[in-house]
Amino acid sequence: MNQIEELAKLLGVDASFITDPDITLSYSRDQAPFAQSAPPRAVLLAKNAEQISTTLRFANQHKIPVVTRGAGSGLAGGANSSADSIVISLEKMNQIIDIDTENLIARVEAGVINLDLDTKVKEFGLAYLPDPASRDWSTLGGNAATNAGGMCCVKYGVTSSHVRAAQVVLASGEIIEIGKATKKSVTTYDLLHLFIGSEGTLGIITELTLNLVVRPQPPATMIATFASITDAASAATQLLKFKPSMLEIVDQTTLKAVEAWHPLGFEIAGSVLLMQLDENPHLCEEALSVCRRFNLIDGVYSEDPADSADLIRVRKMAYPALERMGATLLDDVALPINKIAEFVERVEKLSASSGLTIGIFGHAGDGNMHPTIVHDHGDQAAATLAQKVFGEIVAIAQTLGGTASGEHGIGSIKSTMVQSEISETVMNLQREIKRVFDPQLILNPGKKFPL
Amino acid sequence: MNQIEELAKLLGVDASFITDPDITLSYSRDQAPFAQSAPPRAVLLAKNAEQISTTLRFANQHKIPVVTRGAGSGLAGGANSSADSIVISLEKMNQIIDIDTENLIARVEAGVINLDLDTKVKEFGLAYLPDPASRDWSTLGGNAATNAGGMCCVKYGVTSSHVRAAQVVLASGEIIEIGKATKKSVTTYDLLHLFIGSEGTLGIITELTLNLVVRPQPPATMIATFASITDAASAATQLLKFKPSMLEIVDQTTLKAVEAWHPLGFEIAGSVLLMQLDENPHLCEEALSVCRRFNLIDGVYSEDPADSADLIRVRKMAYPALERMGATLLDDVALPINKIAEFVERVEKLSASSGLTIGIFGHAGDGNMHPTIVHDHGDQAAATLAQKVFGEIVAIAQTLGGTASGEHGIGSIKSTMVQSEISETVMNLQREIKRVFDPQLILNPGKKFPL
């Protein structure tokens, strides 16, 4: 009996434990285009924490790598498996366990889809706020493991601001509770936030206690076109005072891609800002007069929430419009917000010198940009060049006081890019902390940072 | 030359290194009334991170305990020193290094007084929001080390939500940067939040990068009196939908203490709720009609911010009114907010059975209560009983799904009370994490949790 057969026997016949290579292949990677992966030895579609505990205890004993995944919506290769690994998928653990309308918290299994929770709590006039672009198919456990962001985070913060507590299975198989369901607690070290964003390298999150809020008012929406990205980015820093619940920027390259697909009237725009106000919807006119100080070409707004989908259409089309042009490599860096314009200028130079199209859009209010490199499908030389440019974009951000990832995570595609912004001491502290939780280094080894 | 003389020589003549026992005595404890303390062997009034580095390197080598303090405003004995220790005070490191009005961040030395930063940034129309009751004398480094709360946290979150990055000196003397000045970053494990609330046991925070926000509008204020604390607490859960920037509760015992000092007209009230709305000031009338569903006796409000000081006077007088009655022991527990009424009932029974006066007030919107035990000055038997009751109050909170501390910290006075709500596995993880940062266990040993 080989190891996998032995584990299957331990898990019993009730477990969905898959070794068919036709099926395991589809659990071997996330959405990152160029990260290494190989079908794992087996996939557990976990039904409960106990099955995960059994699997980890066994894997720990036999030093078998374990890769955890939610929906596989990640963009950094964080869920990519190696040939010697076991993949644990949380997709079947998708129960909303409790919605507590008095304490304004929800308890969910980690495999619940983000939007499913928000849709459910809407019935009570409540909301789960974090809104990654993947929210209609990504899982809350994956959101926590990567500390996912989204458009509303400029006002409401990223996933880490919305998690109170978690149930976690350690590499040893022990099941523990971290954080506290109360709104405040300083009783232990903040182990909860150590897990959020740890990308499956410290343990497996099986359950989450999440903040709910009274559903915000539908927002007013403003769209403003500027002569240049410098103007739009400068205006963005001045718009934060209106407490936007969305503040997005789109560059000229991306606008041209959108125009080529669906003409929306942005032929002469150098850049576009989109803003939503859910707290002070009546301030759009005042916001527009701020924009006029920065070479505004044109601006429109509507306090009628029904118009918002129309007005933000260009932002929703940004990535699909670039995807139409070829194969894409979507980057993710975070910057000081007053460095956005300089960042875009440098990336434009890199685009010119490399000959690659690079469209830039992102969360202006957070300084979180998504430069997207486009190259011809099937052109291997261009693909190799795009990967090199992907890293150079990260380096530009780091030079400007920015960081390698704002919301997608480090995964496997950036794990060697972080060293230029982290001291060797901090890198070693990470390694030692990992050893505390995972002494055999079985959990997603090599992801997040080089071991 | 003894060890202290040796360290003095290493630090040089420029260092404020004090061994005079008349002076070291005043650096030996914080505001916790019953925690053990003894004057330390020496006190360093640190001027910079390098002096702290030199001191820690030496202490680490010679296994000398080091206790860090800011203003000494803590309430949990977290800054209390032992006779074999060295105290490092950050009070002289009080420079505001930079205010960045574009990226909305401030960089400060850890010894800056909380209110001094807020006063400074007010000039730019900005605010530093966390508002612990001690904010006019507590330091930002101390606020971060304890993860201090305050009244506005019901809306804006505690200190941890307002810190982006920190400079930290490790036990080894190494100086590192954790977190990132950008608004978003998922590049490393969240070491920053591991430090926040770690109460000086993992390293010494020397510098902080803090969130600033556009100054909120002055709030409207409402005060409502109820027949019973159950009514007031039930109403509080329903008032959260108005997004209060303050939601405080005061019990009958405390109201009687206030009335005995300054009659404000609360003779017949069973409890009082105070609410401020800085986002929707026009909703006070609607809030009051919510209160009417819960045996409201009377309610008044004003949308004129100038009236707010008058209206919240009873809350500001709560603790001083109890202090007038005798020696006090101020507790701090956090609860699910729908357990506040049951908690107060149980504490009232404890008050009756022990014969001790216990006034309760606190942050209703967070479920963070401050039961305050009063006994006669100089009555040693009553003081001993009060300490016992202090622990029993924590146990009541834990039984109701609450936690040993919401914002004051565990320090030395609660370090043995946390075990009933934390598994031995989590306790051991804390111990192992401490060893990663502080292998010789010199940093504030025995605080936060038993080693």
Side-chain angles (χ1 to χ4, degrees):
Chain A
M1 194 157 60
N2 70 22
Q3 282 180 336
I4 295 300
E5 287 162 352
E6 205 178 324
L7 176 56
K9 197 176 159 200
L10 276 174
L11 286 165
V13 290
D14 284 347
S16 298
F17 190 67
I18 304 162
T19 53
D20 178 346
D22 289 343
I23 302 176
T24 57
L25 175 66
S26 64
Y27 288 91
S28 64
R29 58 184 306 135
D30 62 18
Q31 304 296 306
F34 69 86
Q36 296 285 329
S37 70
R41 295 164 72 181
V43 174
L44 172 68
L45 303 181
K47 289 177 186 156
N48 51 51
E50 289 66 32
Q51 290 184 344
I52 295 174
S53 171
T54 299
T55 306
L56 288 187
R57 188 172 288 119
F58 184 86
N60 200 37
Q61 206 179 328
H62 298 283
K63 297 194 188 181
I64 303 169
V66 174
V67 179
T68 311
R69 62 186 282 131
S73 60
L75 292 159
N80 285 20
S81 57
S82 53
D84 58 345
S85 68
I86 294 168
V87 164
I88 297 180
S89 167
L90 277 285
E91 69 190 294
K92 302 291 182 201
M93 289 179 63
N94 59 1
Q95 294 303 302
I96 297 173
I97 302 165
D98 184 46
I99 293 171
D100 179 342
T101 58
E102 284 193 323
N103 293 301
L104 295 180
I105 48 178
R107 205 151 63 84
V108 301
E109 289 187 322
V112 169
I113 305 291
N114 177 313
L115 191 63
D116 288 350
L117 175 63
D118 189 54
T119 303
K120 180 70 188 165
V121 301
K122 204 172 174 176
E123 294 170 23
F124 305 98
L126 302 175
Y128 174 69
L129 290 173
D131 59 349
S134 61
R135 84 179 305 191
D136 57 355
W137 69 294
S138 65
T139 64
L140 292 162
N143 293 173
T146 54
N147 196 12
M151 290 203 196
C152 80
C153 302
V154 60
K155 179 169 178 186
Y156 294 109
V158 293
T159 299
S160 65
S161 302
H162 301 267
V163 184
R164 290 198 188 174
Q167 183 190 67
V168 164
V169 186
L170 299 176
S172 62
E174 286 171 286
I175 302 172
I176 61 169
E177 307 284 335
I178 53 178
K180 197 83 192 177
T182 53
K183 193 166 170 201
K184 287 159 102 172
S185 174
V186 292
T187 298
T188 67
Y189 285 157
D190 190 348
L191 302 183
L192 178 70
H193 284 93
L194 195 59
F195 267 79
I196 295 174
S198 65
E199 302 187 35
T201 64
L202 296 179
I204 298 182
I205 298 170
T206 45
E207 208 179 288
L208 290 160
T209 301
L210 301 167
N211 278 338
L212 303 176
V213 299
V214 173
R215 209 160 180 87
Q217 295 300 310
T221 303
M222 181 188 88
I223 179 163
T225 54
F226 295 85
S228 75
I229 189 102
T230 308
D231 293 318
S234 302
T237 66
Q238 302 304 309
L239 292 175
L240 290 175
K241 68 175 174 187
F242 298 104
K243 297 192 195 165
S245 49
M246 183 187 101
L247 185 55
E248 298 289 309
I249 195 166
V250 183
D251 81 339
Q252 193 168 34
T253 303
T254 308
L255 290 173
K256 282 183 176 165
V258 172
E259 283 297 303
W261 186 19
H262 285 295
L264 293 174
F266 296 110
E267 301 83 2
I268 60 162
S271 176
V272 159
L273 275 188
L274 298 110
M275 183 177 75
Q276 290 192 325
L277 301 179
D278 67 357
E279 186 173 323
N280 298 304
H282 56 289
L283 295 182
C284 285
E285 182 57 45
E286 195 181 323
L288 213 47
S289 49
V290 167
C291 293
R292 288 196 187 94
R293 304 208 310 260
F294 299 94
N295 293 316
L296 179 73
I297 295 176
D298 195 14
V300 290
Y301 62 87
S302 172
E303 291 179 37
D304 183 350
D307 297 335
S308 76
D310 270 354
L311 290 171
I312 65 170
R313 202 166 158 213
V314 60
R315 174 64 179 88
K316 296 280 181 189
M317 289 171 69
Y319 186 59
L322 291 165
E323 274 188 312
R324 273 183 73 246
M325 297 169 61
T328 55
L329 255 184
L330 177 66
D331 214 331
D332 159 58
V333 296
L335 302 148
I337 57 172
N338 64 353
K339 299 289 185 189
I340 292 174
E342 191 173 345
F343 173 75
V344 173
E345 280 163 27
R346 292 209 199 176
V347 174
E348 281 172 355
K349 277 183 198 156
L350 184 58
S351 170
S353 64
S354 66
L356 289 167
T357 299
I358 308 176
I360 305 176
F361 54 89
H363 316 300
D366 289 329
N368 186 193
M369 293 294 111
H370 295 308
T372 302
I373 309 162
V374 187
H375 63 86
D376 289 342
H377 284 289
D379 180 342
Q380 193 48 51
T384 305
L385 179 61
Q387 283 182 42
K388 184 168 159 282
V389 166
F390 184 89
E392 285 169 3
I393 289 171
V394 171
I396 291 170
Q398 290 170 324
T399 306
L400 293 171
T403 187
S405 177
E407 58 183 13
H408 292 178
I410 299 302
S412 51
I413 62 175
K414 289 184 176 172
S415 65
T416 57
M417 298 178 193
V418 300
Q419 276 144 316
S420 61
E421 64 175 289
I422 306 172
S423 67
E424 194 52 29
T425 304
V426 169
M427 195 62 87
N428 284 329
L429 287 171
Q430 294 200 94
R431 291 179 181 125
E432 290 184 57
I433 287 170
K434 179 165 173 66
R435 280 189 184 278
V436 167
F437 290 89
D438 176 22
Q440 304 289 349
L441 308 178
I442 61 164
L443 294 170
N444 224 3
K447 310 292 172 62
K448 192 88 190 172
F449 53 85
L451 288 172
Chain B
M1 193 157 64
N2 70 24
Q3 282 179 336
I4 295 300
E5 287 163 351
E6 207 179 322
L7 175 57
K9 198 176 158 197
L10 277 173
L11 286 165
V13 289
D14 284 347
S16 297
F17 191 67
I18 303 161
T19 54
D20 178 345
D22 289 344
I23 301 176
T24 57
L25 175 65
S26 64
Y27 288 91
S28 64
R29 58 185 304 134
D30 63 18
Q31 304 296 305
F34 68 87
Q36 296 284 329
S37 71
R41 292 164 75 182
V43 174
L44 172 68
L45 303 181
K47 288 175 188 158
N48 51 53
E50 289 67 31
Q51 290 184 344
I52 294 173
S53 171
T54 300
T55 305
L56 287 188
R57 189 172 286 117
F58 185 87
N60 201 36
Q61 204 178 330
H62 298 282
K63 298 194 188 180
I64 302 168
V66 174
V67 179
T68 311
R69 61 186 283 131
S73 60
L75 292 159
N80 285 21
S81 57
S82 54
D84 57 345
S85 68
I86 294 168
V87 164
I88 297 181
S89 168
L90 278 286
E91 68 191 295
K92 302 291 182 199
M93 289 178 63
N94 59 0
Q95 294 303 302
I96 297 174
I97 301 164
D98 184 45
I99 294 171
D100 179 342
T101 58
E102 285 193 322
N103 292 301
L104 296 179
I105 48 177
R107 206 152 61 85
V108 301
E109 289 187 323
V112 169
I113 305 292
N114 177 314
L115 191 63
D116 288 351
L117 174 63
D118 189 55
T119 303
K120 180 71 188 166
V121 301
K122 203 173 174 176
E123 294 170 22
F124 305 97
L126 302 175
Y128 174 70
L129 290 172
D131 59 348
S134 61
R135 85 179 303 192
D136 58 353
W137 69 293
S138 65
T139 65
L140 292 162
N143 292 173
T146 54
N147 195 12
M151 290 201 198
C152 81
C153 301
V154 61
K155 178 168 179 186
Y156 294 109
V158 293
T159 299
S160 64
S161 302
H162 300 269
V163 183
R164 288 198 191 176
Q167 182 190 66
V168 164
V169 187
L170 299 177
S172 62
E174 287 171 286
I175 301 173
I176 61 168
E177 307 284 336
I178 54 178
K180 197 83 192 177
T182 52
K183 193 165 170 204
K184 285 158 105 171
S185 175
V186 291
T187 299
T188 66
Y189 285 156
D190 190 348
L191 302 182
L192 178 69
H193 284 94
L194 195 58
F195 267 80
I196 295 174
S198 65
E199 304 187 34
T201 64
L202 296 179
I204 298 182
I205 297 169
T206 46
E207 210 180 286
L208 290 161
T209 301
L210 300 168
N211 277 338
L212 303 177
V213 299
V214 173
R215 211 162 180 84
Q217 296 300 311
T221 304
M222 181 188 86
I223 180 164
T225 54
F226 294 85
S228 75
I229 189 104
T230 307
D231 293 317
S234 302
T237 66
Q238 302 303 310
L239 292 175
L240 290 175
K241 69 175 174 188
F242 299 103
K243 297 192 193 166
S245 50
M246 183 186 99
L247 185 56
E248 299 287 309
I249 196 166
V250 183
D251 81 338
Q252 191 167 37
T253 303
T254 308
L255 290 172
K256 282 182 177 165
V258 172
E259 283 297 301
W261 186 19
H262 284 295
L264 293 174
F266 296 111
E267 302 83 0
I268 60 159
S271 178
V272 160
L273 276 188
L274 298 110
M275 184 179 76
Q276 290 191 325
L277 300 179
D278 66 0
E279 187 174 322
N280 297 305
H282 55 288
L283 295 182
C284 285
E285 182 56 44
E286 195 182 323
L288 214 48
S289 49
V290 168
C291 293
R292 287 194 189 96
R293 305 207 309 261
F294 300 93
N295 293 316
L296 179 73
I297 295 176
D298 195 15
V300 291
Y301 62 88
S302 173
E303 292 179 36
D304 182 351
D307 297 334
S308 77
D310 270 355
L311 290 172
I312 66 169
R313 202 165 159 214
V314 60
R315 173 65 179 89
K316 296 278 182 191
M317 289 172 69
Y319 186 59
L322 291 164
E323 273 189 310
R324 273 184 73 246
M325 295 169 61
T328 55
L329 255 184
L330 176 67
D331 214 329
D332 160 56
V333 295
L335 301 149
I337 57 171
N338 64 353
K339 297 290 186 187
I340 293 174
E342 191 173 345
F343 172 76
V344 172
E345 280 162 28
R346 292 209 199 177
V347 174
E348 280 173 356
K349 276 183 198 155
L350 184 59
S351 169
S353 65
S354 66
L356 289 166
T357 299
I358 308 176
I360 305 176
F361 54 89
H363 316 300
D366 290 328
N368 186 193
M369 294 293 111
H370 295 308
T372 303
I373 309 161
V374 187
H375 61 85
D376 289 343
H377 285 287
D379 180 341
Q380 194 46 52
T384 305
L385 179 62
Q387 283 182 43
K388 186 168 158 281
V389 166
F390 183 90
E392 285 168 4
I393 289 172
V394 171
I396 290 171
Q398 289 169 325
T399 305
L400 294 171
T403 187
S405 177
E407 58 182 12
H408 292 178
I410 299 301
S412 51
I413 63 175
K414 288 183 176 171
S415 64
T416 57
M417 295 177 196
V418 300
Q419 277 144 316
S420 60
E421 63 175 289
I422 307 173
S423 67
E424 194 53 29
T425 304
V426 169
M427 195 63 87
N428 284 331
L429 287 171
Q430 294 200 92
R431 291 180 181 124
E432 290 183 58
I433 287 171
K434 180 167 172 66
R435 281 189 184 277
V436 166
F437 290 89
D438 176 21
Q440 304 290 345
L441 307 179
I442 62 165
L443 293 170
N444 224 4
K447 310 291 171 63
K448 192 87 186 172
F449 53 86
L451 288 173

